[in-house]
Amino acid sequence: MSNRDRPPPEPAGLDGLPPLYSISKGEVVSVQTYGAFVRLPGYKKEGLVHVSEMSASRVENASEIVDVGEQVWIKVIGREIQGDKVKLSFSMKAVNQGTGRDLDPNNVMAEQDARRRKHFRDETGNRITLEAVLNTTCSKCGCKGHFTKDCFSAPGLQYALLPEEDDEEPQQQQQQQQQTSTATLQKDSDKKKKKKVKENEEEEEEGEEGVRERQQQQEQ
């Protein structure tokens, strides 16, 4: 395992807590929708077994698996200090509930779950920050999507986004094609008109020659 994949070192101040990755049997003292709190003998601090750590199968509600007062085997998979509070995370699915045998002796599942929880917290924080910015209305220009301190518009002015260069090129090409097509149609129309005029002139000349021939025949 590379150093990058290893869990970060534990912070100081975790003395008096059950060792990380240790296995113990504890009592369920509280059941919530999202998990159950378990107290270990000899420790005052309770730990949370999240619903995702109760079974290899999906669990919707912790009450489906455990009840208050029930004895369960747990494995300590997390010890964190958040502000002035200490958070203990337990896992039931990593321990055989009948024998107490460790089902994840190399702690592979525990480390994967820890990275997944950290990634989820990061993504959630970024999403909340992004949504807050997108839903903010600037009091200076009245537009959404930026704070007043970041606004670059002068009072009373509105700015429109310029089209991308890639968007302008197809429009120019389309206009050029339309112009070329119009010019071609105009040339064809002019040719037809000239041909019609020429035909009329030829017919008139033929008619005049016929009249002259008939006059000559009458004179003879």
Side-chain angles (χ1 to χ4, degrees), residues 28-161:
V28 178
V29 295
S30 176
V31 178
Q32 307 296 328
T33 304
Y34 53 85
F37 289 91
V38 177
R39 180 184 295 127
L40 302 181
Y43 297 97
K44 295 181 180 180
K45 181 65 179 175
E46 301 168 358
L48 172 66
V49 182
H50 191 265
V51 288
S52 61
E53 294 294 339
M54 287 187 167
S55 172
S57 303
R58 181 178 178 83
V59 179
E60 296 291 343
N61 195 312
S63 60
E64 301 173 4
I65 305 296
V66 297
D67 294 317
V68 174
E70 185 177 349
Q71 298 288 319
V72 296
W73 287 99
I74 62 91
K75 183 174 183 176
V76 182
I77 60 172
R79 309 193 315 169
E80 303 177 50
I81 296 179
Q82 297 180 348
D84 56 349
K85 297 181 180 180
V86 176
K87 179 181 177 182
L88 287 176
S89 299
F90 297 160
S91 175
M92 289 174 53
K93 69 180 182 180
V95 186
N96 185 306
Q97 293 300 309
T99 63
R101 181 172 62 89
D102 190 351
L103 301 179
D104 184 27
N106 296 324
N107 304 317
V108 175
M109 288 192 303
E111 293 176 0
Q112 288 178 346
D113 290 342
R115 288 195 298 271
R116 189 180 301 111
R117 288 195 299 272
K118 181 178 183 301
H119 178 72
F120 175 77
R121 287 196 298 269
D122 292 344
E123 291 294 330
T124 301
N126 291 337
R127 184 168 63 252
I128 292 174
T129 301
L130 180 60
E131 289 179 354
V133 174
L134 292 178
N135 293 329
T136 299
T137 301
C138 176
S139 59
K140 186 175 181 181
C141 67
C143 298
K144 286 188 176 182
H146 63 272
F147 297 110
T148 303
K149 63 183 181 65
D150 299 326
C151 184
F152 58 86
S153 67
L157 295 179
Q158 294 291 334
Y159 290 84
L161 293 177

Side-chain angles (χ1 to χ4, degrees), residues 1-9 111 115:
M1 182 183 299
S2 64
N3 294 332
R4 184 183 60 182
D5 295 333
R6 294 182 183 279
E111 293 176 0
R115 288 195 298 271

